[in-house]
Amino acid sequence: MPKIDLHPRADATDVLTIGIPRGLLYYRYHVLWRTFFERLGKTVVVDAPSTRATFTAGDAASVDECCLASKLYMGHVLALIDGQGLDATGAPTPIDALFIPSVGNLGTLKHFCTKFQALPDLVANSLVERRPRILSCLADSLDAGVSMRDGFIALGCRLGARPKEAKAAFRAAEREQARAEEALAHAQQELLASIERLPAAERPLTILIAAHPYVAHDPFVGGAVEDALRAAGAEVIFADEFDHERAYKKSFEFSATLPWIVNREIVGAILALHDHVDGIVIMSAFPCGPDSMTDDAIQRCIHGKPILALTVDAQSGTAGVETRIESFVDILRYQHKGGYLHA
Ligand code: SF4
């Protein structure tokens, strides 16, 4: 039995404009979230991509123990509260409420980092003086018996939709999310196929970036890494753009017990793409519990490809990344020419 009322009272009908902070699970679910709210007639507002200023603001509002990614998230929350959000046309738009879901798990061995479950409380308590209005929804199949679908339908009812309308909105949102993921996976597959069709001497180095999407694709965190790889003439592909379901299944060849779904997808994508890339960059935001365990295991257990492990922290940011990437690419080029022997 779900531990929440799946058809709650419509207590948030006055919320017309919903702010979504551009951080953490936004990078995984933004299509689903936007589609759901827009289907219910709401205006979705997102703030601009991360900069040093986003981090500085988020850092000042966060407790020291928080990881770089969640401090950045706090900076995005503040930007929305301060009226810096943009609607779909790019117009600055004030918000009525923030959307901050509590995402615990999608089932057995499909856990998210505990930060995602605690996020609405973390924001409310860190910004208690700003009194942000937070709209949340729960996804916790294991302990609360509430699937992500249940959580969104309950949220839709709070926003004034009938259960039937909320269900239809969620169906449409899931469809759009699946389409967007398929398009990314397909484009990446095509890119790899086109590289592999080239004569060996003409193939660019192909590097896999393996990281949480809000690390890999956030300009303040992973942006410098992708830029440095491209500047060094490499082609870049991403673990999080590989087919999620295939990656998840593949991850069981690596571990039967790894609890976190995103780390499973990253590991599975590394295994699936291993023979199609020249090197792997694993990237993490300091201090990350799930990554510290998984990345260490990846480096110990996945052989036959050079791996560069980068941890981005609040103090040094991506300083020095260019030099490390240049050396890594030089080593890969040398290896291409038969310079090193490896197992
Ligand atoms: S998985 Fe790591 S980087 Fe992501 S929110 Fe959790 S601690 Fe932070």
Side-chain angles (χ1 to χ4, degrees), residues 320-331:
V321 154
E322 285 88 354
T323 320
R324 293 189 66 191
I325 296 275
E326 276 166 22
S327 313
F328 185 60
V329 169
D330 282 348
I331 290 168

Side-chain angles (χ1 to χ4, degrees), residues 24 67 69-70 113 115-116 212 214-215 285 287-291:
L24 297 178
C67 64
S70 52
C113 166
K115 288 262 167 29
F116 299 134
H212 287 262
Y214 47 86
V215 171
C288 174
D291 283 2

Side-chain angles (χ1 to χ4, degrees), residues 37-339:
F37 291 123
E38 288 183 347
R39 286 280 167 147
L40 295 182
K42 307 297 175 186
T43 298
V44 171
V45 172
V46 182
D47 66 315
S50 307
T51 61
R52 165 65 60 182
T54 320
F55 173 72
T56 306
D59 187 31
S62 302
V63 290
D64 286 349
E65 292 73 27
C66 283
C67 64
L68 174 74
S70 52
K71 287 178 176 174
L72 259 183
Y73 184 85
M74 201 67 81
H76 288 290
V77 167
L78 284 165
L80 288 170
I81 294 175
D82 290 338
Q84 294 166 25
L86 308 169
D87 70 8
T89 67
T93 310
I95 59 167
D96 296 322
L98 291 157
F99 173 60
I100 306 182
S102 167
V103 184
N105 63 74
L106 304 178
T108 308
L109 297 181
K110 291 186 172 178
H111 288 266
F112 286 85
C113 166
T114 48
K115 288 262 167 29
F116 299 134
Q117 194 159 15
L119 209 50
D121 293 333
L122 191 71
V123 171
N125 289 309
S126 301
L127 303 179
V128 73
E129 279 147 32
R130 304 295 300 268
R131 301 169 65 83
R133 185 171 182 190
I134 296 173
L135 276 183
S136 192
C137 70
L138 185 65
D140 179 359
S141 295
L142 290 180
D143 296 324
V146 179
S147 67
M148 188 176 281
R149 176 179 179 274
D150 293 338
F152 269 92
I153 291 165
L155 177 59
C157 293
R158 289 187 56 207
L159 288 165
R162 291 196 300 269
K164 202 173 149 193
E165 293 165 337
K167 283 177 193 166
F170 189 74
R171 263 198 311 278
E174 270 192 320
R175 241 186 350 257
E176 287 307 311
Q177 177 74 29
R179 252 187 224 145
E181 286 176 11
E182 270 163 37
L184 281 176
H186 181 72
Q188 191 151 276
Q189 205 108 0
E190 288 290 294
L191 174 65
L192 279 176
S194 70
I195 292 170
E196 284 167 3
R197 277 196 296 271
L198 292 171
E202 290 173 28
R203 279 183 210 152
L205 284 178
T206 307
I207 312 289
L208 174 65
I209 294 185
H212 287 262
Y214 47 86
V215 171
H217 303 289
D218 187 295
F220 182 71
V221 193
V225 174
E226 183 182 350
D227 291 349
L229 284 167
R230 292 196 192 283
E235 197 57 77
V236 179
I237 62 168
F238 294 93
D240 66 284
E241 293 183 359
F242 188 75
D243 181 280
H244 288 183
E245 228 172 279
R246 275 178 63 198
Y248 182 80
K249 281 191 190 135
K250 189 92 182 152
S251 72
F252 284 86
E253 294 173 19
F254 180 82
S255 167
T257 53
L258 188 67
W260 305 289
I261 180 170
V262 180
N263 290 85
R264 277 198 169 276
E265 290 168 0
I266 292 170
V267 169
I270 291 176
L271 295 179
L273 294 166
H274 185 274
D275 294 341
H276 303 276
V277 298
D278 299 294
I280 301 163
V281 175
I282 48 178
M283 209 189 335
S284 179
F286 182 82
C288 174
D291 283 2
S292 63
M293 201 183 111
T294 316
D295 292 357
D296 187 59
I298 290 171
Q299 290 174 82
R300 284 167 195 267
C301 304
I302 296 184
H303 302 293
K305 287 291 160 180
I307 296 178
L308 173 66
L310 296 173
T311 301
V312 183
D313 67 40
Q315 271 70 43
S316 49
T318 48
V321 154
E322 285 88 354
T323 320
R324 293 189 66 191
I325 296 275
E326 276 166 22
S327 313
F328 185 60
V329 169
D330 282 348
I331 290 168
L332 294 180
R333 290 228 160 87
Y334 190 61
Q335 197 160 28
H336 245 211
K337 293 178 189 158

